[in-house]
Amino acid sequence: MSDNKPWSREEFEANLREKGRGYHIYHPLHVLMYEGKLSQKQMQCWVANRYYYQIAIPIKDAAILSNCWDRELRRGWIQRIFDHDGSGHINEGGEGGIEAWIQLGAAVGLTREEVTSLKLVSPAAKFAVDAYINFCRQRPWQEAVCSSLTELFAPHIHQQRIESWPDKYPWVKPEGMQYFKNRLTQARRDVKQGLDITLDYFGKSREMQERALEILQFKLDVLWALADAIMLQCCDVKIEGGTQYVRQDQV
Ligand code: AHQ
């Protein structure tokens, strides 16, 4: 008879954190980035493709709100939309993370139009992000909250960029790093809220705890597939002897 007792709250949290071994900080693209191995064009390609993920965040958070009848949860969760869209009030993060990402684009040498037009976003990158949006639209809001918990591991990757880019990519204008600096505090606040909800809601049975791990794995796969797509798009993977076809709508 397999042990079906629910894990303690501490064990459950530890098992969620253990999934960090599959976080996209270990993806070859992010390892190459951390080692300073990407060209300016490849960094621009990463920023332009990741922009689609950034503008998807408030869309998926609004989907969570639209599925949730709990006013208390909504009052806390809605801050995430202001974090990205900006609230206009400078003391609430000013113009928000999407504008900060456009500034990151400028800092790596992209025009606003090259970023916001989405013309540099690969179909596979879009599909990975759309899978996340659709999950959050279609699944119960508690499952969508659980899927945001890849942010348990996000402060590490943001800190890594803040520390390594000035040395590895000295040509990146320093003001472009503001997005990552903002996320250090915002991610920690997000995680506190998302983790409490997840440990409470999925902690009721071993089966639900296992479901939470499955959901977190889905989101880890979204981020990994996004990095795969960006690496294929940006790192000129050449097959020896193969004919290089360049999409005519992206030249
Ligand atoms: O900039 C990121 C962000 O705002 C969020 C929100 C959160 C979510 O709700 O899914 N996840 C997330 C992430 C952001 N940045 C990614 C990165 O590598 O820069 C990491 C990503 C995450 O860990 O889920």
Side-chain angles (χ1 to χ4, degrees), residues 109-177:
L110 290 169
T111 65
R112 179 177 285 269
E113 192 271 342
E114 284 171 323
V115 175
T116 58
S117 64
L118 304 180
K119 67 186 177 187
L120 299 177
V121 179
S122 84
K126 195 173 175 305
F127 278 37
V129 176
D130 288 349
Y132 185 31
I133 295 172
N134 291 328
F135 179 88
C136 292
R137 281 185 172 141
Q138 295 158 9
R139 299 302 303 164
W141 66 266
Q142 297 93 338
E143 293 203 356
V145 165
C146 178
S147 71
S148 74
L149 286 182
T150 43
E151 263 204 310
L152 282 163
F153 323 115
H156 181 193
I157 201 168
H158 294 315
Q159 191 58 46
Q160 203 185 62
R161 292 161 186 157
I162 292 163
E163 286 169 3
S164 65
W165 284 27
D167 172 46
K168 303 290 186 189
Y169 306 102
W171 51 267
V172 177
K173 295 188 182 70
E175 55 271 23
M177 306 304 285

Side-chain angles (χ1 to χ4, degrees), residues 16 34 40 75 81 123 135 155 178 196 208 247:
L16 288 166
Y34 178 58
Q40 178 170 9
R75 282 165 64 107
I81 297 182
F135 179 88
Q178 194 56 46
D196 284 349
M208 288 185 73
R247 281 179 53 154

Side-chain angles (χ1 to χ4, degrees), residues 23-24 30 46 50 53-54 57 60-61 64 77 80 84 101 132 144 147-154 157-158 161 179-180 183 186 190 219 223:
Y23 192 50
H24 68 172
H30 290 136
W46 179 82
R50 265 294 306 273
Y53 180 80
Q54 301 307 131
I57 297 289
K60 70 94 188 175
D61 285 328
I64 292 172
W77 202 266
R80 294 164 186 244
H84 289 279
W101 198 271
Y132 185 31
S147 71
S148 74
L149 286 182
T150 43
E151 263 204 310
L152 282 163
F153 323 115
I157 201 168
H158 294 315
R161 292 161 186 157
Y179 181 81
F180 304 127
R183 287 311 303 170
Q186 290 170 347
D190 286 358
K219 175 61 179 316
L223 293 177

Side-chain angles (χ1 to χ4, degrees), residues 21-73:
R21 286 156 10 105
Y23 192 50
H24 68 172
I25 195 170
Y26 303 112
H27 188 283
L29 176 64
H30 290 136
V31 173
L32 284 168
M33 182 185 285
Y34 178 58
E35 291 172 345
K37 300 259 175 64
L38 298 188
S39 66
Q40 178 170 9
K41 195 159 168 39
Q42 289 166 336
M43 291 290 275
Q44 290 173 347
C45 185
W46 179 82
V47 171
N49 274 273
R50 265 294 306 273
Y51 180 73
Y52 187 71
Y53 180 80
Q54 301 307 131
I55 60 174
I57 297 289
I59 300 296
K60 70 94 188 175
D61 285 328
I64 292 172
L65 292 174
S66 72
N67 287 333
C68 178
W69 290 85
D70 179 329
R71 177 169 168 259
E72 273 318 298
L73 182 282

